[in-house]
Amino acid sequence: MTELPKAPYLLSRSITRRMGLAALFASAVTLAGLAWPQPAVAEAKVIKVGIISGEDEDVWRVVTQEADKRGLKIETVVFNDYTQPNEALERGEIDANAFQHKPYLDNQIATQGYHIVPVGYTGVWPIGLYSKKYTKVTDLPVGAVIGVPNDPSNEGRALRVLQNEGLIKLKDGTGILATTTDIAENTKNLEIKELDAGIVGRSVDDLDAAVVNTDWALKSGLTPENRIAQEPIADNPYRNFIAVKAGNENEPWVKTLVESYQNDTVKAEFERVYNGTGLSAY
């Protein structure tokens, strides 16, 4: 029996049905695409940088602006003493810090077991011998009381200032972590008082002289006129730097962070803020 041809209206209905299903499928795909979570627009990396309170806050405001231009957001976390920023970095509470030199970090690593590495130099603050009673080192009397910072790296640094001025002599072979027990000669019978780095500058009125880190000297109201001696600047091992947790030193944001500090704009602000008491070290 011969199959009868399909009626035209049946063909039309079949085509229309297929077209309708196709349209419905397309609509469903479109709606699914709209409903599916779209990739978020990438936000700028935000990092926390630990710094010491005071003049450096002004410098880092400019660093933050420079970082913004490079797509890096910086949140500064301000500390009031030297013991906190490395602990915070080791714990992951901050991403970087900028406040210390290599001898200090080396000692912290040796005593605290930190895993911290330097990634870019910032500045150097030549440590000085300050006095409000005497204007020359040669004027210091026999038995003068001299204050020095009591943390290992800065105490050794301070004692070398006294040695450079002929006030004491350290034992041969003494390294940069010298203490008062390493004094071999003390012809003026100086009394060396070991004080916290943040206190020694404020104690100058009660001492004959004191070796004070430049940043603490500024905070203590000491001026270049009060400085009667200063360590050499050439080949100075006490350049400060930005530091990060070991393992992060090759992260892209680290390079951007260093570039945000090491530029002419920040250098100009650094010079304005420290007015020659600190020098850019890159």
Side-chain angles (χ1 to χ4, degrees):
M1 184 173 178
T2 304
E3 184 179 359
L4 295 173
K6 292 181 180 178
Y9 77 93
L10 291 175
L11 290 171
S12 176
R13 285 180 61 188
S14 178
I15 292 170
T16 302
R17 187 166 179 265
R18 286 198 300 271
M19 292 175 63
L21 289 172
L24 182 62
F25 177 75
S27 297
V29 170
T30 301
L31 289 172
L34 291 173
W36 194 264
Q38 300 297 306
V41 176
E43 295 184 359
K45 171 74 176 177
V46 180
I47 63 164
K48 294 182 178 181
V49 180
I51 63 173
I52 298 296
S53 62
E55 292 76 17
D56 229 24
E57 292 179 75
D58 292 331
V59 175
W60 275 88
R61 270 190 280 273
V62 178
V63 178
T64 298
Q65 294 167 7
E66 290 298 302
D68 276 336
K69 299 174 185 177
R70 295 166 170 81
L72 182 68
K73 299 293 182 182
I74 294 176
E75 177 186 338
T76 54
V77 179
V78 180
F79 296 95
N80 293 315
D81 68 62
Y82 290 147
T83 64
Q84 299 175 29
N86 279 338
E87 182 67 23
L89 181 56
E90 183 71 18
R91 290 181 177 180
E93 296 167 359
I94 57 178
D95 301 291
N97 64 38
F99 77 103
Q100 63 193 322
H101 49 62
K102 193 65 165 53
Y104 181 84
L105 176 60
D106 287 345
N107 179 257
Q108 289 274 286
I109 290 172
T111 58
Q112 305 297 327
Y114 293 146
H115 306 85
I116 296 171
V117 294
V119 293
Y121 288 114
T122 55
V124 60
W125 289 260
I127 200 168
L129 178 64
Y130 293 81
S131 178
K132 290 188 176 180
K133 298 177 182 178
Y134 305 99
T135 59
K136 294 183 296 184
V137 172
T138 53
D139 292 338
L140 291 171
V142 173
V145 182
I146 311 293
V148 298
N150 64 1
D151 60 280
S153 62
N154 283 312
E155 180 170 1
R157 188 180 182 185
L159 293 176
R160 290 189 178 281
V161 171
L162 300 183
Q163 178 172 255
N164 289 341
E165 296 301 320
L167 294 170
I168 63 171
K169 184 177 180 181
L170 298 171
K171 297 174 184 176
D172 291 339
T174 300
I176 60 175
L177 300 181
T179 67
T180 54
T181 61
D182 295 307
I183 297 175
E185 295 181 17
N186 183 0
T187 56
K188 278 197 169 184
N189 196 29
L190 302 176
E191 180 184 347
I192 310 296
K193 296 196 69 170
E194 299 165 299
L195 302 169
D196 182 88
I199 294 175
V200 65
R202 296 195 294 270
S203 302
V204 169
D205 288 339
D206 301 318
L207 303 166
D208 291 301
V211 185
V212 187
N213 293 74
T214 301
D215 53 344
W216 284 116
L218 290 171
K219 292 179 177 67
S220 303
L222 297 172
T223 69
E225 288 71 30
N226 302 132
R227 188 171 58 220
I228 60 176
Q230 180 176 283
E231 70 182 355
I233 296 173
D235 301 320
N236 194 305
Y238 297 100
R239 289 176 291 174
N240 281 23
F241 49 74
I242 298 169
V244 300
K245 191 81 175 286
N248 288 338
E249 58 266 41
N250 295 318
E251 291 292 323
W253 63 264
V254 174
K255 180 180 179 182
T256 305
L257 174 61
V258 173
E259 290 174 347
S260 298
Y261 194 106
Q262 294 182 350
N263 57 73
D264 290 341
T265 303
V266 172
K267 182 178 287 188
E269 178 65 7
F270 186 98
E271 291 173 354
R272 184 194 70 79
V273 169
Y274 288 104
N275 195 29
T277 57
L279 307 170
S280 295
Y282 50 88

